[in-house]
Amino acid sequence: MPRTDPQGPAAADPEPPLDCPICPRLVAYRTANRAANPDWWNGPALSFGDPDARLLVVGLAPGRTGANRTGRPFTGDFAGVLLYETLLKTGFARGTYAAHPDDGLALVDCMITNAVRCAPPGNKPETTEEAACRPYLTARIAALPRLQVIVTLGDVARRNVLRALGQKASAGAGGHGARCEAAGYSLINSYHCSRLNTNTGRLTPAMFEAVFETARSALAG
Ligand code: SF4
């Protein structure tokens, strides 16, 4: 699939330094978490997966007791269980997910990242923090030479990806299953695999699996 180079903020390294100083509020939160839990990761969650991936999964931000604790995206909190089980089921991962970065799980043709790399208080980054971290998202996308499909977990992640690609955040429809083309990539949106969405039935395992089956079909097309 042809693609254009993403437009947007100045390119950066695709992964931030572990002591990235850019967002004062998130740095303060990181510092407090380090003091309270010095054995945790307590740094930006680095992207995880295949550097030749054709599929990129983009969440919003690490959870305090998930990636902020373990250092691997979606690892150690509730959302990761459904995400990794679904990736295993749809052939985008192999091994066993055991909620630990040393569980041997490997992603296949897939990478996972977050629009904001540092854990925010209350799981809610501010728009200024999304903008500040966006060069890393832009660079992450640009550094995947075979990338074709981006699955976004929630509308905020979707808007961040669109902006990272130099598009208007309003480009395309939101909502579960919404698809659009942007800068040569196919974007597929899903409801976030959060505990709230799964416990309320807003997102079922079957709905989530269908998103990745759609991604599989888009790759084959
Ligand atoms: S959220 Fe991104 S830009 Fe902000 S401090 Fe963390 S890594 Fe740096």
Side-chain angles (χ1 to χ4, degrees):
M1 176 183 294
R3 67 175 180 85
T4 57
D5 288 329
Q7 305 292 311
D13 191 289
E15 303 300 326
L18 298 186
D19 58 350
C20 182
I22 294 174
C23 303
R25 188 180 75 115
L26 302 187
V27 171
Y29 193 53
R30 182 199 305 159
T31 303
N33 280 320
R34 275 183 187 156
N37 299 285
D39 55 331
W40 288 9
W41 174 260
N42 293 317
L46 306 182
S47 307
F48 168 54
D50 181 352
D52 284 326
R54 292 181 299 161
L55 170 66
L56 180 66
V57 180
V58 182
L60 178 56
R64 176 177 171 272
T65 59
N68 177 68
R69 177 171 61 85
T70 65
R72 193 175 73 180
F74 287 90
T75 297
D77 58 9
F78 184 86
V81 175
L82 180 58
L83 176 59
Y84 286 115
E85 281 180 357
T86 304
L87 293 177
L88 284 162
K89 208 168 179 181
T90 53
F92 288 112
R94 65 169 175 266
T96 302
Y97 173 67
H100 190 280
D102 297 329
D103 57 14
L105 185 83
L107 300 190
V108 179
D109 204 10
C110 177
M111 179 174 277
I112 303 176
T113 195
N114 280 299
V116 175
R117 303 299 188 91
C118 291
N123 290 326
K124 285 196 171 72
E126 296 180 345
T127 54
T128 52
E129 293 158 352
E130 294 172 25
C133 211
R134 197 165 299 131
Y136 291 113
L137 180 57
T138 301
R140 180 66 275 165
I141 292 169
L144 291 172
R146 300 180 67 233
L147 182 64
Q148 296 181 9
V149 178
I150 302 174
V151 168
T152 49
L153 301 179
D155 280 339
V156 182
R158 185 186 69 87
R159 289 195 290 271
N160 272 282
V161 167
L162 286 167
R163 286 196 175 106
L165 293 172
Q167 312 286 308
K168 289 185 178 172
S170 57
H176 185 75
R179 296 181 63 173
C180 70
E181 302 294 315
Y185 302 101
S186 292
L187 272 56
I188 307 170
N189 191 49
S190 171
Y191 289 149
H192 193 281
C193 47
S194 66
R195 186 192 296 268
L196 178 65
N197 282 343
T198 52
N199 281 359
T200 58
R202 189 169 190 247
L203 179 69
T204 66
M207 288 167 65
F208 201 47
E209 189 177 329
V211 166
F212 289 92
E213 293 296 357
T214 301
R216 174 70 67 197
S217 298
L219 289 175

